[in-house]
Amino acid sequence: MSESGDETTTDPYSLGGHDGEESSDDHTVFWADEVADEIEARDPTEPVVIKGAISPSGVPHLGNLNEIMRGYFVAEALRDRGYEVRQVFTTDDRDPLRKLPRKLADLDGNIVDLGEVNAGALGQNLGHPYTDIPDPFGCCDSYGDHFSNLIEASAELLGVDIDVVSTTDLYEDGEFEELTRFVLDNQEQARDVLAEYQDKVDESYVPFNPICGGCGKVTETVTAVDTDAGTVEYRCTDMEAGDSVIDGCGHEGTATLREGKLPWRFEWPAGWDVLGVDFEPFGKDHAEGSWPSGVDIAQNVFDSQPPVPMVYEWFTLDGRPFSSSEGHVVMAHDVLELLEPEVLRYFFSKDPSKARDFSIERLDQLVDDFDRTERLYFDEESGTDRKESLAKRTYPPSIRPTVAARFEDRLSDGVWRERVNDGDARASVAALLGEEYADRVRIPYTFAAVLGMFDDPELRADVARKEGHLADDTPEWAAKTALGRVEQASEWAHRTDNEFDYELKRAEMPDVSFDPAVEDALDELADFVAEGHDGETIQGEIYETAKRHDVPIGDLFSAGYRLLFDEDEGPQLGPFVAKLDREFVVERFRRDR
C-alpha cells in the first residue's frame, strides 16, 4: 500500500443475532434458544435428533456447512438444558449422478479440476448412484464414500461431533423398507398429495426408482408392484437430467425394495421417520416447495410428525454466490489456514435469517468481531444490553471445543467431540473456560499480519511485547496461542495480496542505491529514529525531512520501503519502523547493514 490514506468499508461481520433489535433477555436474543424452545415444547424423547443433509454432487464448501453448524448451535443450546443430543448428517448418496462437476476436492481439502483426476470414473457412470461410482481419486470405496469422508473431516476440523449416515446404507440395511412398502401400498394417496406440488404425476406414476440390474443406473419406470414379495418390475428408460437426458438401456427386470430408492420428495420425510428427527435446518430454496410437500407427505401419507424446521439464508463468498461448477468455493480446510476454528464457528452463530457475505478480503473484520464478543463475554469491555447478552450466549458454544482441546489433559476418558453429552465433561469445560482460559491473549488480526512480515519468531514475540499485547505474566500457552495467529494472518495477507503482504529483509540489506539528496535525508531520518519517537511522530518527520532536503515525498518513502522490503511500496512507514528494534532501523537507514 502506498501512503495515500485509508479506505472506509462497511463491516460485513457485524455482531450477530436479530440485528437492530434491542433486548437484554439472554434467552430470546439468540436464535438457537428460540429453536430449542420449539423443540422442547414438543417434549422430545432423548436423544434429541438434529439432522442435516447434502447430495454429494460437488465440492462440500463452506456454504454446505450451514446445516452442520446451525444444527450444532441448536444442539448446544439443548445440551445446556441437560438434553442428550445426536447430530446426524445424511449424505444422499443413492441419488444418481446427473452431471459432471467441474471441481472436486481431495481428502486434504485441495480443490482440483476434473481433468486432474480420473474423470472417466464419473463420465462413464452418469445415472448411477454415487456409492456405485468409483472414487476418481482412487482413495475411497466410491465417490459417495469420498464425499462423506470430506464432510466428516470438515466437521471434525471444527470440533463438531456428527454421525455421517449414508442413505445407501439405510436402504441396504432395510431401514427404508417398511415405509417404501407403505407408500407403494398407498400409491393413490401418495399421488394425490404429490400432485399438489409436482407436475406429471398421473396414474402411471409409481413412487419408487429401482436400480437397473442391466446397466446400474437409477431408473424411473416401474411396470408392476408386489409388496407382499417386496419387489417391483421395471423397464430402464431415459432419465431427464436438467437440460440433458441420460439414456436408459431398455433392460426389463425385477428389483427388491432395497435395490432402489424413493423419489426425493418422499425420501426426505421418510428419513425424518426412520431417524426420528426432531429438528432440521435447510436453505431457503427448500422453503417454498420442498418443505411444504415434505410436511404434507409426512402427515397425510406416513401419518408422522415433521421435525421443527428452520430456514437459513444463503451467504455469498466475497460478494458472489458459491458455485462448485465455477470453482468459486472455499472449504473449511482452507479457511482454517487463515483463522482459528472458534472464529469460524462463531460466524455460524449469526442470525440465519439474514444474508451475509463471507469475505476473505475483509476477514480481519470477522476476527475483530469475534475478539470483541470474547471481551464482552469476559466483561473486559462493555456494550449495549443486547450485545452483552448475545455474547454470553454465542461465545461459549463457539469456544468450547477449543477450550477442551487446549486442556485435554484435564479431560479424561475420550475426546471432547465424543463427550459433548457428558454432564461432567461439560461442567469441567465450563470451569476451565471461566478460570484458566480467561488468561487467553488475542493479538489483533491486522497487527498479527504486521508481525507476519518478520520471519524471526523471537522478533515477533519481542514486538508483540513492546506493543503491549504480551506481558511478563502471560502464561506460556496463552502467548503461544496468541502468536499462532501470526501465521494465519500472514497467509491471509499473502492470499489477498493486501497492504500486509510484505517480507522484512532483515537478514541482509537489499542491493539499492540512491541519489545524494535522498541519502542525506535517510541519514537525518536515522538520527531522528535513534532519539526514540513513536510511530506517528516518525511518520510526520518523514514528510518534514523530505521538505528540508527538497526530496519528493514519494522518493523518500520508496527509499524506506526498498531498504526494508526491497519493494517500492509497503505499510505505513512511520508506525511500522517504530515497531522494529531501533538499532536495526537506524543502521538500515544509514545503509550500514
Side-chain angles (χ1 to χ4, degrees):
M1 180 182 79
S2 61
E3 304 282 340
S4 58
D6 296 328
E7 179 181 354
T8 301
T9 58
T10 301
D11 184 352
Y13 295 120
S14 59
L15 197 64
H18 300 296
D19 297 12
E21 297 179 9
E22 287 292 332
S23 171
S24 60
D25 186 342
D26 282 8
H27 187 69
T28 60
V29 75
F30 186 30
W31 60 268
D33 286 324
E34 296 180 5
V35 176
D37 286 346
E38 292 185 60
I39 298 170
E40 193 170 31
R42 294 190 177 190
D43 192 23
T45 58
E46 297 184 70
V48 178
V49 177
I50 291 175
K51 175 180 173 287
I54 191 172
S55 180
S57 56
V59 176
H61 54 69
L62 203 63
N64 300 139
L65 293 185
N66 259 307
E67 298 196 20
I68 293 177
M69 296 311 300
R70 301 302 189 181
Y72 166 76
F73 280 97
V74 174
E76 284 293 281
L78 289 166
R79 288 169 182 139
D80 286 342
R81 304 180 189 190
Y83 285 93
E84 180 183 354
V85 182
R86 179 189 180 209
Q87 194 170 347
V88 175
F89 196 86
T90 61
T91 55
D92 297 334
D93 50 20
R94 185 152 271 196
D95 289 357
L97 173 66
R98 295 178 179 272
K99 65 178 182 178
L100 296 182
R102 295 184 186 178
K103 302 285 183 179
L104 295 172
D106 65 22
L107 292 183
D108 293 323
N110 300 307
I111 298 174
V112 301
D113 291 322
L114 192 60
E116 297 179 54
V117 296
N118 178 15
L122 297 177
Q124 297 167 12
N125 286 280
L126 287 173
H128 291 242
Y130 288 103
T131 42
D132 289 344
I133 298 172
D135 179 12
F137 291 90
C139 58
C140 299
D141 291 339
S142 68
Y143 176 59
D145 289 336
H146 183 98
F147 193 91
S148 295
N149 286 334
L150 270 175
I151 286 289
E152 191 164 19
S154 297
E156 187 171 344
L157 285 170
L158 286 168
V160 176
D161 181 47
I162 62 171
D163 290 339
V164 177
V165 176
S166 162
T167 305
T168 295
D169 288 346
L170 292 177
Y171 279 109
E172 292 181 347
D173 293 343
E175 298 293 333
F176 276 115
E177 190 164 2
E178 181 179 348
L179 288 175
T180 302
R181 181 178 283 105
F182 183 84
V183 169
L184 295 176
D185 278 337
N186 295 273
Q187 290 183 54
E188 183 175 353
Q189 174 67 10
R191 283 194 290 265
D192 288 345
V193 172
L194 183 61
E196 296 293 322
Y197 307 93
Q198 187 171 301
D199 296 333
K200 301 180 181 178
V201 178
D202 55 25
E203 292 185 357
S204 67
Y205 176 84
V206 179
F208 186 72
N209 301 141
I211 297 172
C212 177
C215 66
K217 296 175 184 176
V218 176
T219 189
E220 299 173 334
T221 303
V222 174
T223 56
V225 175
D226 185 345
T227 53
D228 290 335
T231 60
V232 300
E233 295 179 17
Y234 65 87
R235 183 173 66 256
C236 184
T237 56
D238 297 347
M239 178 174 62
E240 293 183 5
D243 296 332
S244 61
V245 174
I246 297 174
D247 296 334
C249 70
H251 175 76
E252 296 184 6
T254 301
T256 71
L257 302 187
R258 300 187 185 192
E259 296 172 333
K261 68 184 297 295
L262 291 166
W264 185 79
R265 285 185 186 266
F266 289 95
E267 185 177 88
W268 193 18
W272 298 337
D273 190 288
V274 167
L275 296 169
V277 180
D278 295 291
F279 166 66
E280 181 164 1
F282 48 85
K284 65 179 183 179
D285 54 326
H286 290 319
E288 294 185 2
S290 303
W291 170 253
S293 72
V295 170
D296 204 344
I297 289 169
Q299 295 175 337
N300 297 308
V301 177
F302 294 134
D303 191 25
S304 62
Q305 183 184 45
V308 171
M310 188 193 78
V311 179
Y312 58 80
E313 270 282 351
W314 297 328
F315 52 82
T316 52
L317 175 62
D318 283 320
R320 293 167 48 206
F322 280 84
S323 174
S324 295
S325 62
E326 296 179 8
H328 187 63
V329 295
V330 64
M331 296 180 65
H333 301 66
D334 204 37
V335 174
L336 292 177
E337 294 181 4
L338 308 177
L339 46 71
E340 299 94 339
E342 55 265 33
V343 180
L344 184 52
R345 285 191 292 266
Y346 170 73
F347 176 76
F348 287 99
S349 76
K350 294 175 180 294
D351 186 352
S353 69
K354 296 188 178 296
R356 296 183 188 273
D357 183 48
F358 189 87
S359 173
I360 301 296
E361 295 281 345
R362 293 174 284 174
L363 212 56
D364 56 312
Q365 295 175 8
L366 172 60
V367 181
D368 289 347
D369 187 26
F370 171 82
D371 289 353
R372 238 180 350 258
T373 297
E374 188 172 58
R375 293 192 298 272
L376 287 169
Y377 176 82
F378 285 109
D379 299 319
E380 299 166 352
E381 182 178 311
S382 60
T384 64
D385 288 345
R386 185 188 72 84
K387 288 186 176 181
E388 290 182 357
S389 297
L390 191 58
K392 300 297 183 184
R393 293 300 302 126
T394 59
Y395 179 72
S398 298
I399 201 67
R400 278 185 193 123
T402 296
V403 175
R406 170 66 195 85
F407 299 106
E408 63 180 347
D409 58 321
R410 308 273 288 276
L411 297 172
S412 57
D413 302 325
V415 298
W416 170 247
R417 286 187 302 104
E418 298 169 353
R419 302 185 65 204
V420 290
N421 291 305
D422 184 328
D424 290 340
R426 294 181 71 82
S428 296
V429 171
L432 290 165
L433 174 58
E435 296 169 4
E436 280 93 334
Y437 202 77
D439 292 331
R440 92 279 168 239
V441 173
R442 299 289 183 186
I443 294 176
Y445 195 68
T446 51
F447 183 70
V450 170
L451 294 181
M453 299 181 200
F454 313 146
D455 58 2
D456 183 348
E458 291 187 7
L459 178 58
R460 292 175 178 177
D462 288 344
V463 174
R465 291 188 187 93
K466 178 181 177 182
E467 294 297 308
H469 297 295
L470 298 178
D472 291 340
D473 60 350
T474 299
E476 183 179 351
W477 70 265
K480 181 178 180 181
T481 301
L483 290 167
R485 179 175 278 185
V486 174
E487 293 296 337
Q488 296 165 332
S490 180
E491 179 65 18
W492 166 69
H494 175 66
R495 291 194 193 183
T496 59
D497 191 26
N498 64 19
E499 62 188 289
F500 306 105
D501 188 24
Y502 298 96
E503 178 186 352
L504 179 66
K505 303 297 183 182
R506 187 180 179 87
E508 59 182 31
M509 190 173 73
D511 184 13
V512 295
S513 62
F514 309 109
D515 63 47
V518 172
E519 290 184 343
D520 289 344
L522 285 168
D523 288 337
E524 187 173 314
L525 188 57
D527 292 340
F528 186 82
V529 171
E531 294 172 3
H533 298 281
D534 63 38
E536 290 304 318
T537 303
I538 295 173
Q539 182 77 355
E541 182 62 20
I542 296 173
Y543 285 90
E544 295 304 318
T545 302
K547 290 178 183 177
R548 286 194 297 271
H549 290 268
D550 196 24
V551 171
I553 185 61
D555 288 358
L556 188 53
F557 275 120
S558 179
Y561 294 137
R562 278 291 172 193
L563 288 167
L564 296 174
F565 305 112
D566 200 14
E567 301 276 357
D568 288 322
E569 295 183 345
Q572 195 174 32
L573 192 57
F576 180 76
V577 299
K579 294 177 174 66
L580 301 174
D581 56 287
R582 194 179 310 161
E583 181 182 357
F584 165 74
V585 175
V586 170
E587 291 185 357
R588 182 56 61 89
F589 280 3
R590 289 174 177 164
R591 287 88 63 210
D592 290 339
R593 72 176 176 103

